[in-house]
Amino acid sequence: MAKRKHVEDDLENSADGDDSEQEFSGLEESSSEGSEDEYDEIRVEFEWFDPQKQDFEGFQMLLRQLFGTDASFFHLGAIADLILEQKLLGSTVKTDGNEGDPHSLLTVLNLKQHRNRPVIKSLVDYLLDRSSTSSSLSPLISLLPANSGNEVGLILSERWVNIATEVVPPMYEMLLEEIEWAVNDKEPYTFTHYLIWSKIYHAVPSTLDETTNRPMKKMKPESNKDVDDGQSMYYFHPEDEVLHRYAMLYGNFDYKTPVPEGDSRNAFQDFGVTPHGHLILIDAAALKSAVKALKTDFPFLPTTSGATMDESWSTTP
């Protein structure tokens, strides 16, 4: 069934880029002649839905993207099944109606409630192992075990790269509302903390310049940037920068499976990227304030024709 949010959005997106061509067929043909700086107006209807059985394959694809090169360590089908068991908790975003593919997913899993499930055990063991490699994340070692007395909700949030950040605040707002309803019904969602699984990347200069003596351009400054161990880190999920302001801790970890070298020669760009896992721990009460901040920083602005969204929705790597 469709959720409470149902909006139409007029999006402006440059005609350049393979992602846009794949997502919106006919975009290139509809481009008017003229400057490369001209924009096409694309009308997209976003609908929010509860997780449904037809989303099973789509969930696995989104989870594989979220977990990066370590996705093979987890039974993605079992995680998707667990998400589907929580029919009234979590949201998907689609553009082709109820039977369409999910383009975005946000949900929460109770690590303590499901601690005896093999797939949850594998997730917790992995998180404990990766946390032991990072001083920023090491406090999680005492917080995540089932006997710690904490009720940790693992938030899984992922979307395709050309889906706007502005769809995220309504998803978080609905999640908090659904958790409140579940608690009122005495379901096991009284969390003390939320652990958000995300990812970041850092830029890798191309070695192509070393072999061709081609002058390398400076990387364009980005607003979604942080610094870790002297390297500039960039967010796949721009909302993470807002969530950091309300976090108890956050940090990065390396994947166990070697990441293919992020050399940009294959993309004919001056920089490639190397991804890393990223975790954000937020106190349950603080998440409510964080969601309010997300709504301010990434507003969904209703207009008479729907909502207006900035063209930057397509620039997230």
Side-chain angles (χ1 to χ4, degrees), residues 255-307:
Y255 294 123
K256 289 184 175 182
T257 305
V259 178
E261 186 180 355
D263 194 339
S264 60
R265 68 175 68 208
N266 295 326
F268 302 100
Q269 299 290 330
D270 289 308
F271 287 84
V273 300
T274 297
H276 303 269
H278 187 69
L279 297 173
I280 306 171
L281 181 70
I282 299 183
D283 178 81
L287 184 60
K288 295 181 180 180
S289 299
V291 171
K292 291 180 180 178
L294 287 175
K295 292 170 63 179
T296 300
D297 285 40
F298 302 104
F300 227 100
L301 302 175
T303 66
T304 55
S305 60

Side-chain angles (χ1 to χ4, degrees), residues 25-201:
S25 60
L27 177 60
E28 183 176 354
E29 291 78 6
S30 65
S31 301
S32 59
E33 296 181 1
S35 168
E36 292 183 356
D37 293 330
E38 290 185 1
Y39 295 93
D40 289 324
E41 184 177 280
I42 303 172
R43 190 174 185 84
V44 177
E45 181 179 275
F46 286 130
E47 292 181 277
W48 279 253
F49 293 91
D50 297 314
Q52 299 171 79
K53 62 181 181 180
Q54 63 265 29
D55 299 328
F56 181 78
E57 295 294 338
F59 286 171
Q60 291 189 83
M61 294 175 66
L62 288 166
L63 291 168
R64 186 174 295 109
Q65 177 176 284
L66 176 62
F67 297 146
T69 56
D70 283 351
S72 60
F73 286 103
F74 311 114
H75 191 323
L76 302 183
I79 300 175
D81 280 334
L82 185 53
I83 293 171
L84 292 171
E85 287 180 22
Q86 304 175 151
K87 295 182 179 179
L88 299 180
L89 196 67
S91 299
T92 65
V93 172
K94 301 180 181 181
T95 59
D96 299 313
N98 187 32
E99 298 300 321
D101 294 327
H103 298 312
S104 181
L105 165 69
L106 190 146
T107 192
V108 62
L109 302 178
N110 190 326
L111 297 183
K112 186 174 183 179
Q113 173 71 14
H114 302 299
R115 62 187 180 277
N116 293 326
R117 295 199 181 207
V119 68
I120 292 297
K121 186 177 185 304
S122 68
L123 286 169
V124 172
D125 287 348
Y126 177 88
L127 291 170
L128 289 172
D129 176 78
R130 293 297 85 194
S131 296
S132 68
T133 66
S134 167
S135 59
S136 299
L137 299 175
S138 59
L140 294 175
I141 297 173
S142 61
L143 184 139
L144 290 177
N147 60 2
S148 68
N150 298 295
E151 297 277 353
V152 181
L154 179 63
I155 291 180
L156 303 176
S157 175
E158 185 59 302
R159 58 188 181 275
W160 296 126
V161 295
N162 52 357
I163 296 298
T165 307
E166 283 81 355
V167 305
V168 174
M171 298 181 82
Y172 267 105
E173 190 172 28
M174 285 186 282
L175 181 66
L176 289 180
E177 189 176 64
E178 290 158 353
I179 290 173
E180 183 179 350
W181 293 343
V183 170
N184 289 339
D185 290 338
K186 302 189 183 307
E187 295 183 27
Y189 296 105
T190 307
F191 297 115
T192 58
H193 305 81
Y194 293 99
L195 183 62
I196 300 169
W197 195 317
S198 189
K199 55 188 181 177
I200 52 86
Y201 67 96

